Amino acid sequence: MKIAFKATTRNVQGTSASRRLRRADKVPGILYGAGKDATVIELDHNEIYHKLRLEAFHASVLDMELDGKAEQVLLRDVQMHAWKQNVLHIDFQRVDPTKKIHMKVPLHFINADIAPGVKLSGGIVSHIINELDVACLAKDLPEFIEVDLKDLVAGHSIHLSNLKLPAGVESVALNRKDDQSVATIIIPRAVAADEAAAATVAAADVPAANQKAKEEEAPKKDDKAKK
C-alpha cells in the first residue's frame, strides 16, 4: 500500500510560531536521519490527521513530497492533544535504502474461529502481543504479519519462532534469543466450572452403575446356587 502526503519546509521555529501554525490548521514537524541535517517542516492538519487513522501509515515506508521533492520516510513519533482530536507535532525519519530499519509491525490474527481450542474446548484467544519489532531493509518492510491460529489448542501458545516472516524480515526479539509468546487460548472460568461439574457427575455415576450391575447379578447367582 503506497501512502503519499505533502509537506513544506518551515522557516520559523519556536513555541509561538508553532501555535500560529496550529491556528492555521497546520502541524509542525521535523524530518531527520540518513546522515542529513534535520529539517523543520509543516503539514496540513486535515490530511495528516486522516492519514494517521490508517494502520499502514504507522508501519510502512511513506512517500513524502517535501517542497516538490520526493522523500521516503518512516513515522517515528506523533503528539496528540490530551482530549481534542488535534495533532500537535509529528516526527519523520528519512529512509536509507541500504541500511536495515527497525519498525513495529502490526500482527493480524486469522482463523481464530476454527482453532480447536475455541471450536472444541470453548476457549478464548488471548493476544499477548499485537505488534512485532522487526529489522529489515525498507523495501522488505511488510504492512502486517499474519498469525494463523487454525491449529492452536487450549493450554498451548504460539511463539515468535512459529511465525512465518516474509523474506528479509527478522524478529528483533528472536535475534536476542527471546522466543516470546504471541497468542494463547484460555478457558473461561464458567466453561471450566461446567466441565469440572460434568466430570464430577460422571465420576459419581460409575460407582452407582457398578452397584446396579452387582444387584442385577446377585439374583442370577442365587438361582444357580438353588439349582
Side-chain angles (χ1 to χ4, degrees):
M1 182 178 181
K2 190 173 182 178
I3 303 177
F5 60 99
K6 295 181 179 180
T8 55
T9 301
R10 181 159 45 107
N11 296 318
V12 291
Q13 301 182 48
T15 303
S16 297
S18 294
R19 287 174 181 167
R20 287 194 295 272
L21 278 176
R22 296 184 186 111
R23 285 196 293 268
D25 291 327
K26 300 289 184 181
V27 178
I30 189 168
L31 174 63
Y32 62 88
K36 299 179 181 179
D37 293 336
T39 303
V40 288
I41 58 175
E42 61 183 72
L43 309 95
D44 178 76
H45 183 277
N46 188 56
E47 180 185 22
I48 209 66
Y49 174 78
H50 288 288
K51 297 292 186 186
L52 285 167
R53 299 179 69 180
L54 301 174
E55 180 186 65
F57 192 77
H58 297 258
S60 299
V61 176
L62 311 171
D63 294 309
M64 174 191 287
E65 183 184 319
L66 179 60
D67 299 332
K69 297 180 180 179
E71 291 266 14
Q72 283 200 314
V73 302
L74 301 170
L75 175 65
R76 282 309 190 191
D77 189 46
V78 59
Q79 297 174 26
M80 301 292 296
H81 192 278
W83 65 87
K84 297 179 182 178
Q85 294 185 329
N86 290 347
V87 185
L88 300 181
H89 195 276
I90 195 162
D91 294 359
F92 295 97
Q93 179 184 353
R94 296 183 186 92
V95 169
D96 184 338
T98 65
K99 294 182 179 180
K100 286 187 176 182
I101 57 176
H102 283 227
M103 285 290 288
K104 291 186 181 296
V105 175
L107 299 177
H108 286 188
F109 297 86
I110 62 172
N111 293 325
D113 56 329
I114 63 172
V118 173
K119 193 172 183 179
L120 302 179
S121 304
I124 297 174
V125 177
S126 173
H127 299 166
I128 299 171
I129 59 174
N130 290 298
E131 57 185 12
L132 180 64
D133 193 5
V134 302
C136 62
L137 294 176
K139 67 180 182 63
D140 297 324
L141 182 66
E143 290 181 19
F144 58 86
I145 294 171
E146 283 190 348
V147 181
D148 195 344
L149 305 173
K150 65 181 177 64
D151 296 321
L152 188 58
V153 298
H156 289 250
S157 300
I158 289 179
H159 292 81
L160 293 180
S161 56
N162 302 129
L163 301 184
K164 293 181 179 179
L165 301 181
V169 178
E170 301 174 346
S171 165
V172 174
L174 270 184
N175 285 345
R176 299 195 304 261
K177 310 299 183 185
D178 182 9
D179 193 9
Q180 303 173 15
S181 294
V182 176
T184 189
I185 290 184
I186 58 176
I187 304 299
R189 289 183 179 180
V191 175
D194 289 344
E195 290 179 350
T200 300
V201 170
D205 285 345
V206 171
N210 291 340
Q211 181 62 33
K212 185 177 180 181
K214 289 179 181 179
E215 291 173 353
E216 291 175 350
E217 187 67 21
K220 296 178 181 178
K221 290 182 178 179
D222 290 342
D223 290 342
K224 288 180 179 180
K226 289 178 181 178
K227 289 179 180 179

